[in-house]
């Protein structure tokens, strides 16, 4: 257990922490999960509109070109190779990225 990381996470409100965790595990209001819970009618990326690109948490956090500038500004990189790399970033920066993306209205 990483005590520092745990204490950082506890500093967030329940709503913000729930949204961060939901995105990291793929249960946020995006793509395939949003279709499963009847938030959206299709799972295609609503941001980049790339033909046939299904919006998964990994697409949003790793590859979506629409958010590459915000990722660089808040997370220090345009892209990540794996979802685990994004999960290991500074949680405050990750929260700021999610808020600035305006994809998660609960934040």
């Amino acid at each position: 257990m990483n005590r520092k990381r745990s204490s950082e996470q506890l500093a967030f409100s329940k709503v913000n922490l729930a949204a961060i965790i939901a995105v990291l595990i793929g249960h946020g209001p995006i793509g395939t999960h949003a279709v499963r819970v009847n938030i959206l009618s299709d799972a295609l990326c609503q941001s980049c509109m790339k033909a046939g690109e299904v919006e998964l948490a990994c697409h949003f956090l790793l590859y979506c070109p629409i958010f590459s500038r915000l990722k660089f500004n808040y997370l220090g990189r345009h892209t990540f190779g794996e979802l685990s790399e994004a999960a290991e970033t500074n949680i405050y920066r990750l929260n700021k990225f999610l808020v600035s993306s305006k994809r998660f209205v609960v934040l």
Side-chain angles (χ1 to χ4, degrees), residues 8 23 56 63 99-100 104:
E8 288 173 349
V23 170
L56 301 166
Y63 311 118
V99 170
S100 67
F104 305 92

Side-chain angles (χ1 to χ4, degrees), residues 5 24 61-63 75 77-91 94:
R5 184 107 170 141
L24 291 176
L61 287 172
L62 307 180
Y63 311 118
L75 306 176
R77 321 168 52 162
H78 292 285
T79 61
F80 291 91
E82 296 180 8
L83 197 53
S84 61
E85 291 177 37
E88 291 298 318
T89 62
N90 179 290
I91 194 137
L94 182 59

Side-chain angles (χ1 to χ4, degrees), residues 2-72:
N2 184 333
R3 290 186 189 277
K4 182 177 185 244
R5 184 107 170 141
S6 296
S7 64
E8 288 173 349
Q9 292 168 349
L10 292 173
F12 288 101
S13 71
K14 287 181 182 179
V15 172
N16 282 50
L17 186 57
I20 291 167
I21 291 169
V23 170
L24 291 176
I25 64 172
H27 284 85
I30 56 176
T32 53
H33 184 71
V35 170
R36 247 182 273 133
V37 295
N38 295 318
I39 295 173
L40 295 174
S41 59
D42 70 61
L44 297 179
C45 181
Q46 304 296 309
S47 301
C48 71
M49 301 296 192
K50 191 174 178 183
E53 187 67 51
V54 174
E55 184 181 43
L56 301 166
C58 63
H59 171 74
F60 169 71
L61 287 172
L62 307 180
Y63 311 118
C64 188
I66 297 302
F67 299 109
S68 65
R69 174 57 66 188
L70 287 177
K71 282 184 273 194
F72 183 77

